[in-house]
Amino acid sequence: MAEYGDEIEQKGESFMDKITEKIQRDDSSSSDSDSEKKKKKHDDELKKKHHDVPSPTSSMKSKIYRLFGREKPVHKVFGGGKPADVFLWRNKKISASVLGGATAVWVFFELLEYHLLTLVCHFLILAFAVLFLWSNASKFINKSPPRIPEVRIPEDKFLQIAAGLRNELNQGLDTLRNIASGRDLKKFLGVVAGLWVLSIVGSWCNFLTLFYIIFVLLHTIPVVYEKYEDQVDAFAEKAMIEIKKQYKVFDAKVVSRIPRGPLKDKKRA
């Protein structure tokens, strides 16, 4: 009987030992999980702080000088649509065909000395003759006559284009008025220099050749600038610093010595 009691007591002690060991194991696992959670939270906070602090490369990129104070990519400057794709040679076939067509027109009018009005009249004569003969001959050859599309200009689109053109003209006239009023000397000198250069170029070639040169430059300079953007911007920054230095010298020696009368502001009622 005593042996049976000792056996029961040993079994009870072993059972209690197992329970105690399991509790300790659960406590250690829970403590390990809590420590892992704290460590993960700490790592997340460090990553967030590191993400919030601006990197030196990003700050350097934000301080890079861009030509004409440009903040958008070159493609966005040109509108970001199909004209920008043509100017930047996104589709080489379309860009090459447009440039080739402009070259053919220039050769046709400038080198062959074909006049625009003569070309338009001859083209219309040929088109009307072909359509007229086709329409009448279709009855005899048992073929359908040509389908001439009915072209109509939408009123709302026409009004939108006219309104946009009016706004651009008004802005241009306001700019010219501000330049002529003598408020901004830099703009005045820039416009005078631009008109002077344009008059020299105009004495070398006619309007069609000038237009063709501008068209070719629009198809070459933007794509070259986009390819060598950083080098061109760095050179332009140095050039602008030098120009500002020379302008300060010019302003101190010439502009500041020009006598100016008192300005009288007109009071509006």
Side-chain angles (χ1 to χ4, degrees):
M1 190 73 181
E3 293 177 356
Y4 182 74
D6 293 337
E7 185 178 355
I8 292 174
E9 186 178 356
Q10 290 177 359
K11 288 183 179 179
E13 289 177 356
S14 62
F15 181 73
M16 290 300 294
D17 292 338
K18 288 181 180 180
I19 293 175
T20 305
E21 184 179 357
K22 186 176 181 181
I23 291 172
Q24 290 177 356
R25 191 179 300 169
D26 292 339
D27 292 338
S28 62
S29 62
S30 61
S31 62
D32 292 338
S33 62
D34 292 338
S35 63
E36 288 179 359
K37 287 181 180 179
K38 290 180 180 179
K39 185 178 180 182
K40 187 177 180 182
K41 186 177 180 181
H42 182 66
D43 293 338
D44 293 338
E45 289 178 355
L46 289 177
K47 289 181 181 179
K48 187 176 180 181
K49 289 181 180 178
H50 180 70
H51 181 71
D52 293 337
V53 174
S55 61
T57 55
S58 61
S59 61
M60 287 291 291
K61 288 182 180 179
S62 62
K63 294 180 181 179
I64 292 177
Y65 174 83
R66 293 302 179 189
L67 195 62
F68 304 116
R70 178 178 58 84
E71 297 180 355
K72 299 179 181 179
V74 181
H75 191 266
K76 292 293 183 181
V77 173
F78 281 92
K82 291 183 178 180
D85 294 338
V86 173
F87 288 133
L88 297 176
W89 293 75
R90 293 291 189 266
N91 191 332
K92 294 182 179 180
K93 292 183 178 179
I94 296 177
S95 300
S97 61
V98 170
L99 187 59
T103 304
V105 170
W106 178 77
V107 170
F108 202 71
F109 288 108
E110 187 64 22
L111 299 183
L112 301 180
E113 296 182 355
Y114 211 81
H115 298 287
L116 178 62
L117 183 60
T118 305
L119 177 64
V120 172
C121 292
H122 287 177
F123 177 77
L124 290 176
I125 290 171
L126 180 62
F128 282 130
V130 170
L131 292 174
F132 181 81
L133 293 175
W134 189 0
S135 299
N136 287 281
S138 61
K139 300 176 182 178
F140 300 99
I141 61 178
N142 295 324
K143 288 187 177 181
S144 60
R147 295 181 180 179
I148 303 174
E150 185 177 355
V151 180
R152 290 287 184 272
I153 300 176
E155 184 178 359
D156 54 348
K157 295 291 183 182
F158 183 79
L159 292 177
Q160 288 178 2
I161 294 172
L165 183 61
R166 180 180 63 85
N167 293 332
E168 294 295 332
L169 289 175
N170 288 334
Q171 289 180 0
L173 292 174
D174 290 338
T175 303
L176 294 176
R177 180 176 176 275
N178 292 331
I179 293 171
S181 62
R183 297 175 183 174
D184 195 339
L185 182 61
K186 291 183 180 180
K187 287 184 179 180
F188 173 75
L189 295 176
V191 170
V192 170
L195 292 175
W196 181 67
V197 172
L198 191 62
S199 65
I200 294 175
V201 175
S203 64
W204 293 343
C205 57
N206 56 15
F207 180 75
L208 181 61
T209 303
L210 180 62
F211 180 79
Y212 175 70
I213 292 172
I214 295 173
F215 192 81
V216 172
L217 292 177
L218 285 174
H219 280 77
T220 53
I221 292 179
V223 65
V224 173
Y225 172 70
E226 188 181 34
K227 188 176 181 180
Y228 303 101
E229 183 176 358
D230 295 334
Q231 294 86 340
V232 174
D233 288 338
F235 178 78
E237 183 179 10
K238 295 179 181 178
M240 287 300 298
I241 292 173
E242 187 64 27
I243 289 172
K244 288 180 180 179
K245 288 181 180 178
Q246 297 298 328
Y247 178 77
K248 288 181 180 179
V249 174
F250 177 76
D251 186 40
K253 293 183 178 180
V254 179
V255 179
S256 61
R257 296 182 180 181
I258 297 176
R260 299 180 182 180
L263 297 176
K264 296 181 179 180
D265 296 329
K266 296 181 179 181
K267 294 182 180 180
R268 295 181 180 180

